[in-house]
Amino acid sequence: MFQNILDFLMEYGYLGMFIHSFADAVIFPVPAFFLQVPLSLVDPSQALWIATVGYFACLLGTPVGYFIGKVLGKSVLYKILKKEWIDSATAMFQKKGEVAIFIGSFTPIPFKVFTIMSGCLKFPLWKLLGYAAIGRAVKFYAVGFLFYFYGKMAENMVHNVSLYIFLIMVPVILVGLWVKKIVTKRRQLKMENAGVSNGINEKVLNK
C-alpha cells in the first residue's frame, strides 16, 4: 500500500517530495527519506533542490502536526505508528524535551512523532520550529549533498547517513548543552552577586 503511494508521489517529482515531506511531519508513517533518495537517484544534479523542497515542506507541516497533538492527544500516534517508535520518543521527551526534538529530527523515527507529541505535552511551538529547522536541515541536506557530489554512487552511502549524523551530532549537542548550562550558572551567579552588592550599598546609604 505505502509503496504504491510512494510510486505515485515519485511521478510528480518536486511536488511529490513536497507532499510527502509535509505529510511526514503530520501523519504519513513513511519518512520523507524514502522518497528523497529515489528522486535524487533519478537526477543527482537536482539533489540539493529536492532536499530544499523537502526541508521547507517539513517546516510547514510541523505546526500542523503540533496542533493535531494539542487537539487530539497522544492516542492518535498509536493509531498510525509503531508502538516502539512512540515509546522511544516518549522516553527521550521525559529526559529532555528540546534535545528529543533536535535528535529526533535526524533519527529514523518518523518526525511526526515529535511534532504531535510536542503538541500533546504543550511544548512551546517556537522552540519546536527552531530545533526542527536545525535538525531537519542536517538530515535533508546530508542526503542532498551526498548525491550532489557523488552522484548515483551515493545510494550505497545514504542508508547509513542517519547513523553517521547521530554519531556526530549527539556529542556536539551534549557539549553545547554543557556549555549552555555553565553560561546559565555564571549569569545566575553574577545576578546574585549584583543583588547582594546592591543590598549592601542600600544599607550603607540608609545609615
Side-chain angles (χ1 to χ4, degrees):
M1 173 186 170
F2 292 126
Q3 187 57 52
N4 291 336
I5 295 174
L6 290 177
D7 291 340
F8 174 78
L9 291 173
M10 186 158 177
E11 293 180 5
Y12 290 88
Y14 290 121
L15 178 59
M17 185 72 232
F18 184 92
I19 294 170
H20 189 169
S21 188
F22 183 92
D24 179 30
V26 179
I27 196 169
F28 193 55
V30 180
F33 172 85
F34 291 97
L35 186 62
Q36 183 186 3
V37 170
L39 281 175
S40 298
L41 267 172
V42 172
D43 187 357
S45 66
Q46 299 300 308
L48 292 180
W49 284 112
I50 293 168
T52 300
V53 170
Y55 173 63
F56 282 104
C58 177
L59 292 185
L60 289 174
T62 294
V64 178
Y66 178 88
F67 286 112
I68 286 176
K70 195 169 185 179
V71 174
L72 300 180
K74 189 177 175 181
S75 59
V76 69
L77 288 171
Y78 287 99
K79 295 179 180 179
I80 60 174
L81 296 170
K82 294 180 181 179
K83 183 177 181 297
E84 55 265 33
W85 285 344
I86 301 168
D87 292 342
S88 296
T90 301
M92 291 170 70
F93 254 103
Q94 289 173 343
K95 292 180 181 178
K96 193 71 174 176
E98 56 192 44
V99 178
I101 295 169
F102 197 39
I103 295 176
S105 297
F106 47 78
T107 62
I109 300 174
F111 190 57
K112 70 200 64 55
V113 174
F114 299 94
T115 61
I116 293 175
M117 192 169 293
S118 295
C120 295
L121 301 177
K122 295 180 172 57
F123 188 82
L125 178 58
W126 69 269
K127 281 191 175 182
L128 170 64
L129 289 169
Y131 286 111
I134 299 170
R136 297 306 278 175
V138 173
K139 182 67 181 287
F140 276 106
Y141 284 103
V143 174
F145 275 110
L146 280 174
F147 274 104
Y148 184 78
F149 287 112
Y150 293 99
K152 295 185 178 182
M153 291 188 297
E155 183 181 10
N156 297 322
M157 306 175 188
V158 295
H159 295 293
N160 293 319
V161 71
S162 293
L163 175 61
Y164 297 145
I165 293 172
F166 188 82
L167 292 175
I168 294 170
M169 292 301 296
V170 168
V172 172
I173 293 170
L174 293 176
V175 170
L177 290 172
W178 177 71
V179 171
K180 180 182 177 183
K181 187 176 181 180
I182 291 175
V183 171
T184 301
K185 282 186 176 180
R186 287 182 177 176
R187 285 179 180 173
Q188 290 176 345
L189 187 60
K190 284 182 179 179
M191 290 175 67
E192 290 173 1
N193 290 336
V196 171
S197 298
N198 290 334
I200 293 172
N201 291 334
E202 287 178 3
K203 287 181 180 179
V204 172
L205 290 173
N206 289 332
K207 287 180 180 180

